[in-house]
Each structure stands twice: as C-alpha cells, then as structure tokens.
Amino acid sequence: MSKKAISVLSGGLDSVVATSVYAKEYDIHAITFDYGQKAAEQEIKVTAKICELMGFEHTVIKLPWLAKISDSSLNSNEDIPQVSNEDLDDLEKCKESASSVWVPGRNVVFTAIATSFAESVGAEIIIVGWDKEEASTFPDNSKEFLNAFNVLLDIGSPNDIEIKAPAIDLDKWEIVKLGHDVGAPMELSYSCYSGENKHCGVCESCMRRKRAFIQAGINDLTEYLK
C-alpha cells in the first residue's frame, strides 16, 4: 500500500509545485477551499484539471461562514490592490497590500481541516505551499508557523502526521525552478486574486508570479490581461 498524503491545493503556483514534489512518492488526496473568494471558481476549475492529470482524489470544501466574517478584498466588494514591480521590494507597501487580502485565520482553519482528513485516511503528511517570499507579510506562511503547527500535531493528534512545506525556504523564482525540476504543471496553475479567466497581471500575486518566471529564466505560459 502506498503512503498517503493530504494536499491543501489552492491551484496557485506554490501549492501546485509543493504537491508535485510528493506526487510520485504518495497517494495524494487534494482539498480545495471555497471561502467566498473572487477566484473560487477559477481555483476549483484548475485544481480539478490538475488532480485529473496527476491522478489525485479531489475534494472541494465550502466555508461560507469564513466568507461572512471576512472583510478581505478577496471576498468582499473592496477593490484588490494593484502593485508595481518596484512595490514588490517595498516592505511597507507589501504589508498594506497583504492587510487588504488577509482572511481571518485562513491557514489555521485550512490546516486544521487538512489534519482531520489526514487522520481519517491515515495520511502521513499534509502538503502546503507556504514559502519564504510571502512569509515576510503573511505570518501564516512562515517557517515559525510551520514548526509551531507541527508541534501542535505532535501534541494534539494521536497519529504521526507532519506538515511538509518544500518551498518554506524559497523565494518565488526558486519555486518556479523547483516546479520545472519536478515537472509540476505550472501552466495550469492560477495565482490571480481577481477571479478573471485570465490573470489580471496587476495584483500582487500576479506581479510576483510574472517576476518569478523572469528571474528563473523559465518560459511563462500564463496569459495576463496586463
């Protein structure tokens, strides 16, 4: 019997690459969350394609209550911030952008639910796309958060489960390199906050994606509106 894993798969570049790292070693059940975000339809569509391509079981979990308590620009009428290339290296501007798209307790909730799935099927690992570059403004992407949650699982779960974040020490361009090396279907991934059919090209997530492919020297097949 092959080893089992749960992947928290949003369909974004980071989670697609992280999951692909373990695709040959584990029988993966991917879970995708709909918490009322503007990009929910696109994220569900691309994760379904990726899971079909890679042979993963796929479950979509709706969290309407999270949408109701959140005033994030991701799942409200508030406009999503646009940033320039220069802004990506301005910590204060990135903190302001991150504050706008912050969803209360999102990774705490997602990882807790992933733990329930892992315990129920006897999975050894939970795969997440947390990374170094985004940890500077999103504390629930940091190595400290990863280590703390693994301590929590050691104490609170009767099973031997570990959260794996292969991009935890990587910047975005290094994630693209890793994705290229492991054959991740990065061309199918969807990183945009806007939820349009094509990437908007101007939100912070799109801008970081565009820069990463350029810095990595790898052809970007993503279609951007701008």
Side-chain angles (χ1 to χ4, degrees):
M1 181 181 292
S2 60
K3 297 182 290 184
K4 295 181 179 181
I6 300 298
S7 167
V8 180
L9 186 67
S10 69
L13 180 67
D14 306 330
S15 67
V16 170
V17 171
T19 303
S20 297
V21 168
Y22 297 99
K24 293 181 180 178
E25 187 180 355
Y26 288 86
D27 178 11
I28 295 175
H29 182 167
I31 55 177
T32 302
F33 293 96
D34 178 354
Y35 51 98
Q37 70 273 35
K38 292 180 172 76
E41 183 178 351
Q42 293 299 326
E43 291 178 6
I44 292 167
K45 182 167 70 175
V46 301
T47 50
K49 287 182 180 178
I50 291 165
C51 289
E52 182 179 6
L53 175 68
M54 303 190 76
F56 303 155
E57 185 177 354
H58 186 220
T59 298
V60 176
I61 300 172
K62 293 182 180 293
L63 301 175
W65 60 268
L66 185 53
K68 288 181 180 179
I69 67 170
S70 172
D71 61 0
S72 168
S73 60
L74 293 188
N75 51 8
S76 72
N77 292 327
E78 183 181 339
D79 290 337
I80 292 170
Q82 298 182 6
V83 299
S84 67
N85 269 318
E86 293 74 23
D87 292 339
L88 296 180
D89 295 315
D90 186 323
L91 183 58
E92 290 308 311
K93 287 185 178 179
C94 288
K95 284 182 177 179
E96 184 178 342
S97 174
S99 177
S100 172
V101 300
W102 180 264
V103 177
R106 179 172 56 178
N107 279 349
V108 175
V109 172
F110 291 0
T111 313
I113 292 173
T115 300
S116 294
F117 272 78
E119 287 187 0
S120 72
V121 300
E124 297 179 12
I125 65 170
I126 296 168
I127 307 164
V128 296
W130 308 339
D131 67 274
K132 176 184 173 184
E133 183 167 324
E134 294 190 2
S136 62
T137 51
F138 292 95
D140 59 356
N141 271 250
S142 67
K143 180 176 280 189
E144 290 81 6
F145 183 76
L146 171 67
N147 291 340
F149 218 113
N150 272 323
V151 170
L152 178 68
L153 290 181
D154 284 341
I155 297 170
S157 175
N159 295 17
D160 186 11
I161 302 168
E162 182 179 4
I163 304 168
K164 293 284 192 178
I168 200 69
D169 291 316
L170 305 183
D171 286 327
K172 197 73 70 172
W173 72 269
E174 295 172 302
I175 295 172
V176 171
K177 285 270 195 182
L178 175 61
H180 180 267
D181 291 345
V182 300
M186 294 186 290
E187 71 283 358
L188 296 180
S189 64
Y190 185 88
S191 301
C192 186
Y193 290 150
S194 72
E196 302 292 337
N197 287 330
K198 296 180 181 179
H199 286 66
C200 74
V202 291
C203 70
E204 183 175 345
S205 186
C206 279
M207 293 296 290
R208 290 192 182 280
R209 180 187 178 105
K210 287 197 288 188
R211 185 176 72 168
F213 276 96
I214 293 169
Q215 290 178 332
I218 292 174
N219 187 31
D220 186 3
L221 299 177
T222 311
E223 292 187 87
Y224 299 99
L225 294 173
K226 295 181 181 180

